[in-house]
Amino acid sequence: MKPVIVTDVRRPNKDLVEQIGSYSVATLHEAMGRSGLMFPYMRPIYPGAKAFGAAVTVLSHPGDNLMIHASLDVCEPGDIVVVTTTSPSTDGMFGELLATSMKAHGVTGLITEAGVRDVEELAALQFPVWSRAISAQGTVKATPGCVNVPIVCAGVTVRPGDIIVADADGVVCVPQERATEIALLAQARIEKEERTRTRLQSRELGLDIYGLREKLKAMGVIWVSQSEWEG
């Protein structure tokens, strides 16, 4: 792919991004038919981290953070930067100084399928990062790449302007064109779970709420007493 920085990304409505960002990763993943979830090795670097925003995508050479720096030229407040590399890398391509710059520009967080360093400083700065690895290994700024092109990050296709949500359970990508639909499905799921929670709190069993008792019977599972079992 020819090195390129795409400047005019179509971003979703900010209110819609806020609405999608109010839901958990698990809720959105389920609402999308259990899709959009990045591989589980993508972990937050400090407890309690949560972030969401419109994706600015970065395709970098491994061990080279030149294009992460370049991405800031096209970032807007509320964006979240999503980075992958042209081949696997765990080098520490992102640290406290880049985070300081991103925070100053209103970037909400970083998702990187590579490594990060300065994690104590990043936690103190409260700049949320999800990464494949933590490594002090330094990087260079020598090889061109791309900004705001479709990428595959941790098994998920991410396009510029897609909505990214990240929390303790991982990272999910909501395609921009499905965002309104997914927001409605996520809200319906929240309401259904609240009804189920009320029933569980009243001591109803999941076996009966979800119709699992009949399912077990259909599978040939039987209930017997200890004496019947021993006999």
Side-chain angles (χ1 to χ4, degrees):
M1 181 182 295
K2 183 178 179 179
V4 65
I5 298 173
V6 180
T7 60
D8 53 341
V9 171
R10 182 175 63 88
R11 291 169 172 82
N13 177 275
K14 290 185 182 297
D15 290 340
L16 183 57
V17 175
E18 290 279 347
Q19 185 178 2
I20 291 290
S22 70
Y23 299 114
S24 70
V25 167
T27 294
L28 292 167
H29 172 56
E30 294 286 352
M32 288 194 294
R34 299 183 179 176
S35 64
L37 185 66
M38 294 188 183
F39 291 144
Y41 54 62
M42 301 291 284
R43 303 304 306 147
I45 62 166
Y46 61 83
K50 180 173 174 63
F52 62 87
V56 168
T57 61
V58 179
L59 180 64
S60 290
H61 189 78
D64 192 315
N65 68 2
L66 174 62
M67 301 313 294
I68 301 178
H69 282 274
S71 71
L72 276 162
D73 191 45
V74 295
C75 282
E76 296 182 1
D79 287 343
I80 189 167
V81 176
V82 184
V83 181
T84 194
T85 51
T86 54
S87 61
S89 175
T90 58
D91 294 345
M93 294 172 56
F94 183 87
E96 181 262 335
L97 290 178
L98 260 171
T100 298
S101 182
M102 286 193 176
K103 192 167 185 177
H105 284 82
V107 174
T108 62
L110 178 89
I111 313 297
T112 177
E113 195 178 14
V116 299
R117 61 183 186 178
D118 303 335
V119 293
E120 289 188 358
E121 291 86 349
L122 291 173
L125 193 62
Q126 288 292 284
F127 187 80
V129 175
W130 284 254
S131 69
R132 182 174 187 168
I134 294 172
S135 174
Q137 176 64 50
T139 58
V140 298
K141 301 169 180 60
T143 311
C146 297
V147 175
N148 279 334
V149 299
I151 62 173
V152 176
C153 182
V156 174
T157 298
V158 181
R159 296 166 304 167
D162 285 347
I163 302 174
I164 302 295
V165 179
D167 61 22
D169 287 335
V171 183
V172 70
C173 175
V174 178
Q176 184 174 174
E177 71 276 8
R178 293 193 64 197
T180 299
E181 170 203 358
I182 297 306
L184 293 173
L185 291 172
Q187 183 59 37
R189 182 173 180 82
I190 290 291
E191 294 169 0
K192 180 180 178 182
E193 286 184 344
E194 183 56 37
R195 292 191 295 269
T196 301
R197 185 176 297 106
T198 299
R199 295 176 67 181
L200 291 169
Q201 289 170 340
S202 68
R203 298 177 59 85
E204 284 191 69
L205 295 177
L207 278 176
D208 299 311
I209 294 173
Y210 302 125
L212 300 179
R213 195 181 301 276
E214 291 72 19
K215 189 173 185 178
L216 286 169
K217 290 177 181 178
M219 293 176 174
V221 179
I222 60 173
W223 278 250
V224 297
S225 66
Q226 180 68 31
S227 60
E228 289 173 319
W229 171 249
E230 291 174 349

